[in-house]
Amino acid sequence: MRTGRLKLGTRPWVSSLRQTSVASLRIRDIDQEGLIVGMIRRLIRTRWGALATIAVIAGGVCVYMSSVWRGDSWLSGVLVNVGTGLVLFLPLLLIGWGVERRLDDVRKRQDVAAERQAQIEERQAEVTSDVARLEGEITKTQDDLRLTREELSDAVVARLAAKRSEDSKIFSAVGVDPKQEEMFAAINRASKLGIVAPVGPRVYVPGGDVYVRFATDQEEYGAGVIVLFVETPSGESKEELGWYPGESATDLLVSLGELLQSIGRYPGDKSFGSLRLFSDLHDLLDIGHQWSINGKVALHELAPLVQFCPPQWVVTMSGITSLDPAGYTIPVSRFDEDWESHMGGKPWVDQDSLQEALAAGRALFHAYRLASHPRSPWDSEVPF
């Protein structure tokens, strides 16, 4: 009598599954370095792959047990069905879940990467904006610095111009009847600017064969006192006279006249009455000041000045120099040459002014009163 149970074990596909399960059980005999073992190893590396591997093994066990319990066709069929499901469907399902999870991870990573890329682009935009802002600030700063330099240059030029204007007023005050305080300020300022010699400028006294030198650094006379030294052409001092604050120019000239009388150098009332003591000193200071600011000649060629020999030549600490043409200089090292013959035929030379400058310069040079000195006979070294 037929029963309602299906004899699954008699079907062809059941025997095929049994053969498959038997083949799966023989995996242990395959070389561990084979393809199947390598695939299994790669599969087991992931969690879902490990579950799928367990499911395949469990399915294989079920198929194998179905062949063991052939006597019970129902149980054998159930085991075959379960084993087949575990071997075929569950691994695919698990692997699909794993793939979906991997895809989700990839999407999340892509989202994170996209967010980071957006942040990087935003930061790049901020950096670009900052760079543009900094470039603008640098440009503005450079413009401000340029403007500051120009303003500073203008301020310096303006200050120098104001100083020159003040100096011109100071030197202009040295005229026919200057005040003692004005004269002291003018000589001090000229010495500070390097216009006159440190020992002070001097002026020729016509007819007396002497010079009057103005000095403001004589401490023994007290502060603010101008000392007038009456000296020979070579600079040898004969007498001295103090011009004190509060004394007028007339008082000074009277005292100077009496002093010249006492040493036998008074030129007479007529010559002394025409004495251009202050005007010649004014001309000397003005020449040095104008030439120092106009740059017509190098400063070392003109200053410091010692004496003015009007109208063309000045005696300096390093030689004599012409005013017109400007800067024609005879250095002290060549004073002993025959300049009278050499310059005698030149139409532009004022001979009287040149003769006075050469005489004064040579006298001071040989008396060791200038910056350079003549060679002494006691010097042991041979000059170059």
Side-chain angles (χ1 to χ4, degrees):
M1 188 175 173
R2 295 181 180 179
T3 62
R5 297 178 179 178
L6 294 176
K7 295 182 179 180
L8 299 176
T10 60
R11 296 184 180 181
W13 60 273
V14 174
S15 60
S16 175
L17 286 176
R18 287 175 179 173
Q19 293 175 0
T20 302
S21 64
V22 172
S24 64
L25 291 175
R26 292 177 181 175
I27 293 175
R28 63 181 179 274
D29 297 330
I30 301 177
D31 186 6
Q32 292 184 355
E33 298 298 327
L35 178 62
I36 298 177
V37 175
M39 294 176 62
I40 292 174
R41 285 180 176 177
R42 287 193 296 270
L43 187 61
I44 292 176
R45 289 175 184 171
T46 62
R47 184 177 63 181
W48 298 106
L51 293 176
T53 302
I54 294 173
V56 170
I57 295 173
V61 171
C62 290
V63 173
Y64 174 74
M65 295 302 297
S66 68
S67 64
V68 174
W69 292 332
R70 293 180 186 178
D72 191 344
S73 59
W74 180 83
L75 180 57
S76 177
V78 171
L79 291 174
V80 169
N81 290 333
V82 171
T84 303
L86 289 174
V87 171
L88 296 179
F89 300 109
L90 186 58
L92 294 176
L93 180 61
L94 293 174
I95 291 172
W97 287 347
V99 171
E100 289 179 359
R101 188 177 182 85
R102 285 292 186 87
L103 290 176
D104 290 340
D105 292 341
V106 171
R107 293 190 188 97
K108 290 179 180 179
R109 291 178 182 177
Q110 289 178 344
D111 293 340
V112 172
E115 183 178 357
R116 290 181 179 177
Q117 182 65 27
Q119 292 176 353
I120 291 173
E121 293 177 354
E122 182 180 357
R123 184 57 182 167
Q124 289 177 342
E126 292 177 357
V127 170
T128 302
S129 176
D130 292 341
V131 169
R133 179 175 55 80
L134 288 175
E135 289 179 350
E137 292 178 356
I138 291 173
T139 302
K140 185 177 182 301
T141 302
Q142 290 176 342
D143 294 338
D144 293 341
L145 288 175
R146 189 181 302 107
L147 181 60
T148 301
R149 286 195 298 267
E150 293 175 355
E151 292 176 350
L152 179 61
S153 177
D154 294 340
V156 169
V157 172
R159 289 280 298 275
L160 290 175
K163 277 290 185 182
R164 288 196 295 267
S165 178
E166 292 177 5
D167 292 338
S168 296
K169 292 179 180 179
I170 292 174
F171 299 143
S172 296
V174 181
V176 178
D177 188 19
K179 296 179 180 180
Q180 192 274 351
E181 293 78 10
E182 295 173 341
M183 179 70 76
F184 185 88
I187 297 174
N188 259 353
R189 181 61 177 167
S191 179
K192 182 178 181 180
L193 294 176
I195 293 175
V196 298
V199 295
R202 72 178 192 173
V203 177
Y204 179 61
V205 178
D209 197 26
V210 291
Y211 295 83
V212 175
R213 178 165 58 89
F214 295 82
T216 58
D217 58 350
Q218 305 301 308
E219 297 180 357
E220 62 270 19
Y221 279 83
V225 179
I226 303 174
V227 181
L228 280 69
F229 290 91
V230 178
E231 61 185 33
T232 63
S234 63
E236 179 185 358
S237 178
K238 293 298 184 181
E239 280 292 343
E240 56 190 61
L241 173 68
W243 186 12
Y244 293 88
E247 293 183 348
S248 66
T250 302
D251 296 335
L252 173 67
L253 291 176
V254 170
S255 299
L256 178 61
E258 293 177 347
L259 179 63
L260 292 174
Q261 292 177 33
S262 67
I263 62 174
R265 297 286 184 170
Y266 187 67
D269 291 342
K270 184 176 181 180
S271 297
F272 190 76
S274 62
L275 179 63
R276 301 179 66 251
L277 189 70
F278 300 126
S279 60
D280 286 350
L281 180 60
H282 165 266
D283 292 343
L284 179 68
L285 297 179
D286 186 64
I287 289 169
H289 181 239
Q290 293 300 324
W291 281 38
S292 66
I293 64 177
N294 293 334
K296 293 182 179 179
V297 294
L299 186 60
H300 72 276
E301 295 178 350
L302 180 66
L305 303 180
V306 176
Q307 175 185 335
F308 176 41
C309 303
Q312 189 180 38
W313 292 84
V314 291
V315 180
T316 74
M317 292 294 291
S318 58
I320 64 173
T321 302
S322 67
L323 304 180
D324 185 19
Y328 190 99
T329 300
I330 300 176
V332 293
S333 60
R334 300 181 62 187
F335 269 175
D336 292 334
E337 297 180 16
D338 187 9
W339 289 101
E340 289 81 358
S341 299
H342 176 70
M343 305 290 285
K346 299 184 182 299
W348 59 269
V349 177
D350 187 294
Q351 297 298 325
D352 292 337
S353 177
L354 174 64
Q355 293 297 327
E356 182 183 353
L358 280 173
R362 286 167 175 167
L364 291 171
F365 174 64
H366 289 288
Y368 297 87
R369 303 290 182 177
L370 300 182
S372 299
H373 308 307
R375 181 170 178 78
S376 171
W378 293 277
D379 292 340
S380 59
E381 294 182 0
V382 178
F384 291 102

